[in-house]
Amino acid sequence: MGQSAEFGKFLKVMRARLQPEDAGTQESSGSRRVPGLRREEVARLSGVSTDYYTRLEQGRNIHPSRAVLDAVARALRLDAGEQAHMMDLLEHCASSAGNPGPVQKVRPALQQLLDAVGDVPAMVLGRRADVLAGNRMAHLLFTDFTALPAAERNLTRWLILDPAAGALFRDWKTVAAEAVGALRMDVGRHPNDPETNQLVGELAVHSEHFRQWWAGHRVATRAAGTVRLHHPVVGDLELNFETMSLPDDPDQLLRIYSAKAGSPSSDALTLLNFGEVGTPAELSVPEPARRDDS
């Protein structure tokens, strides 16, 4: 059981998302009883026996070579993040998990850096996207995580459960699904972590979206990109973000948001930072539109 079972579940979900034509397999006559490719089709494409591939999906205690794993990844059309997650699921021993890891702390010099880049939102994310630190602009743009109970200072939890996050992110479903994918990657690296299990359980109970995304075993590793926001005070913004792993703790990420110089989004950040912000009505900014959850 443990990670070997999760490894098998991952392979099965990845196989189910493919169609015969995706892998260059001729469709046989008659209906297929299972979604996606059959086990024997993946085995053939991987150059292994059907029995061997079946044992992989069943989570048997076998030790495939890197060449075999690379072949399976090609057959399942895994991208780089999915292949890395597959390796994590196989290599990280579940028997050594189950105890909380060391408490993550932000170095004082790193907090000093966050405050020094005070014109733009910046935060430090830890395991499972716990918000370990943030500067004033991050709190103004998103929410003041320091004001939340310690157990709720988690970016993924806030994204999925707080209605304010749903109104803030104009592409909420995309952003939230990527956050769930990043949490799935964390589970692969740190199996059976009690705090992660508690978070996953809470999100599964309260969010149908989360249950669907989690069941899909999607992983996400996007370190940079763009987010579109509708802030209740300063209106629409389009911000770029960069996420960097910290060398002294790979499980800590520094994320910084910025706007193109001279853009309306840059002006909005300036207003948020230095302006005497009032209510949306006072600033003639429309209330955020309802998000379409369909």
Side-chain angles (χ1 to χ4, degrees):
M1 296 297 290
Q3 284 308 94
S4 59
E6 285 300 314
F7 174 76
K9 290 178 184 177
F10 177 74
L11 293 184
K12 186 175 182 179
V13 171
M14 295 300 100
R15 175 170 61 85
R17 71 180 182 176
L18 296 176
Q19 297 302 318
E21 55 271 21
D22 293 333
T25 301
Q26 290 291 333
E27 175 66 280
S28 59
S29 60
S31 61
R32 300 172 71 91
R33 292 181 298 174
V34 295
L37 297 181
R38 300 185 177 98
R39 285 175 174 171
E40 58 267 27
E41 291 168 336
V42 176
R44 178 176 57 79
L45 292 169
S46 304
V48 298
S49 70
T50 301
D51 178 68
Y52 188 88
Y53 180 78
T54 299
R55 284 186 287 152
L56 283 177
E57 274 201 9
Q58 291 175 342
R60 303 282 187 88
N61 186 24
I62 58 179
H63 305 282
S65 68
R66 183 55 189 256
V68 167
L69 293 171
D70 289 344
V72 170
R74 288 192 298 270
L76 294 175
R77 296 196 169 188
L78 305 185
D79 62 26
E82 291 164 343
Q83 187 168 0
H85 181 60
M86 179 184 72
M87 297 301 298
D88 284 338
L89 291 175
L90 184 65
E91 293 177 356
H92 291 182
C93 180
S95 61
S96 63
N99 297 317
V103 175
Q104 290 184 294
K105 296 182 179 180
V106 173
R107 292 182 290 106
L110 185 54
Q111 180 64 62
Q112 180 179 322
L113 174 63
L114 293 179
D115 296 334
V117 294
D119 291 346
V120 295
M123 60 177 65
V124 177
L125 303 176
R127 288 278 325 284
R128 72 197 72 84
D130 286 346
V131 179
L132 303 180
N135 62 7
R136 172 177 170 273
M137 281 294 289
H139 296 158
L140 290 173
L141 184 65
F142 300 118
T143 192
D144 186 356
F145 286 96
T146 63
L148 299 177
E152 298 179 11
R153 297 172 192 170
N154 179 274
L155 186 62
T156 304
R157 183 189 186 280
W158 174 73
L159 274 170
I160 293 177
L161 297 186
D162 194 327
L168 176 65
F169 285 88
R170 291 153 65 188
D171 304 302
W172 176 84
K173 281 187 177 181
T174 297
V175 174
E178 288 183 347
V180 174
L183 181 61
R184 175 67 78 176
M185 292 286 288
D186 189 84
V187 168
R189 291 189 295 266
H190 304 278
N192 293 342
D193 174 73
E195 292 185 43
T196 304
N197 290 343
Q198 182 176 353
L199 174 62
V200 170
E202 180 184 15
L203 294 176
V205 167
H206 295 290
S207 171
E208 173 63 25
H209 284 301
F210 178 84
R211 291 194 293 272
Q212 293 177 1
W213 292 326
W214 196 253
H217 284 254
R218 177 185 177 181
V219 299
T221 57
R222 193 162 66 118
T226 301
V227 292
R228 302 189 312 143
L229 308 174
H230 184 94
H231 193 274
V233 174
V234 298
D236 289 345
L237 303 95
E238 185 170 304
L239 303 178
N240 299 319
F241 68 88
E242 296 285 341
T243 308
M244 293 153 278
S245 178
L246 299 179
D248 57 341
D249 184 354
D251 284 325
Q252 287 193 30
L253 302 174
L254 173 63
R255 180 171 295 175
I256 300 177
Y257 296 83
S258 64
K260 184 178 179 180
S263 67
S265 296
S266 179
D267 294 339
L269 282 182
T270 300
L271 176 61
L272 191 62
N273 191 12
F274 297 109
E276 291 295 329
V277 295
T279 66
E282 291 169 340
L283 292 174
S284 299
V285 175
E287 294 286 352
R290 292 177 60 88
R291 189 185 72 247
D292 182 7
D293 284 337
S294 60

